[in-house]
Amino acid sequence: MRGGELAKAMAVGVDRLKNAWESSTCLDRAIETIIGTTGCSPDDVEKIKAASRHARIVMSGNMSLGVNLLGVLVRRAAAALDAANWDIEVLEMHHNRKVDAPSGTALLLGNEAAKGRGIELLANAVKVRDGHTGAREPGSIGFATLRGGGVIGDHSVLFASESEMITLSHRANDRSLFANGALAAARWAHDKKPGFYSMLDVLGLND
């Protein structure tokens, strides 16, 4: 598929959610819609899923192919390392202008860890620690957020036991990786049936 044809056949929403899922032009023409924005409410997601009955929608908290592959590795590691002996912490750092925390990517990784453990992230996430917190709750998934400078995005998932620690991480060196991932998603979705897809579908890893 050539670049000009691809541009006519897709819409990419990376900043403005409203334009992504309320665009009647995209839905009426069955144009594939790639959504890479973060900070979506549960109601937003339900509206997007409803729109996917008539349109091809690929949605992810991060368009990076590397981050989505990392999510698969995190899920498998979480499944292999039992909660009684291994704690999970998600660490992320972004530039000083980012307005949401934890980042959508951190939540994506935390959700993959929760899937590996067979638990719900919402009920087991610890996003704030301050003062006398007491001992760490066994089986919880912790989040730590750093903000500073012009950091594009650093994410690490730490699996810590009493005797060792495993770190799975990803660093964004150039913002073009997000555009490259979105274009890969659009090319993949071009001949698919209407539906709600993720970057794991694009990578062929959605098992």
Side-chain angles (χ1 to χ4, degrees):
M1 192 176 196
R2 296 179 180 177
E5 295 172 335
L6 180 64
K8 294 178 182 178
M10 64 174 280
V12 179
V14 294
D15 291 316
R16 299 296 181 182
L17 179 63
K18 181 178 180 181
N19 291 339
W21 62 258
E22 286 188 351
S23 175
S24 59
T25 300
C26 294
L27 300 183
D28 292 344
R29 296 181 182 179
I31 293 175
E32 55 261 31
T33 302
I34 314 302
I35 302 174
T37 190
T38 60
C40 303
S41 70
D43 185 55
D44 291 332
V45 175
E46 288 307 310
K47 290 178 180 178
I48 293 168
K49 288 182 177 179
S52 72
R53 292 196 295 266
H54 310 289
R56 292 156 288 174
I57 297 176
V58 179
M59 182 176 180
S60 176
N62 191 304
M63 287 287 110
S64 162
L65 299 177
V67 161
N68 285 278
L69 177 58
L70 175 61
V72 174
L73 299 176
V74 167
R75 186 198 317 168
R76 292 179 178 176
L81 303 172
D82 64 282
N85 295 302
W86 292 85
D87 298 324
I88 300 177
E89 293 285 320
V90 182
L91 173 65
E92 60 104 339
M93 182 171 185
H94 283 83
H95 52 85
N96 56 22
R97 299 171 301 284
K98 188 167 180 61
V99 297
D100 58 311
S103 68
T105 300
L107 294 173
L108 179 155
L109 295 172
N111 193 53
E112 291 301 321
K115 287 179 182 178
R117 288 273 170 90
I119 60 176
E120 291 294 326
L121 178 61
L122 185 62
N124 292 277
V126 178
K127 299 176 182 176
V128 178
R129 293 188 178 106
D130 185 41
H132 187 74
T133 62
R136 190 183 195 280
E137 186 69 26
S140 61
I141 298 176
F143 289 83
T145 298
L146 305 177
R147 294 287 179 266
V151 177
I152 296 173
D154 277 13
H155 294 86
S156 296
V157 181
L158 290 74
F159 296 84
S161 75
E162 290 289 341
S163 57
E164 57 187 320
M165 184 169 69
I166 300 168
T167 302
L168 301 176
S169 62
H170 177 275
R171 172 169 292 177
N173 293 325
D174 191 298
R175 293 183 185 279
S176 64
L177 67 91
F178 304 118
N180 292 337
L183 290 171
R187 293 189 181 97
W188 177 88
H190 182 61
D191 59 355
K192 299 299 184 292
K193 295 179 180 180
F196 182 77
Y197 302 102
S198 73
M199 289 299 286
L200 295 185
D201 294 302
V202 177
L203 288 168
L205 295 171
N206 200 347
D207 54 7

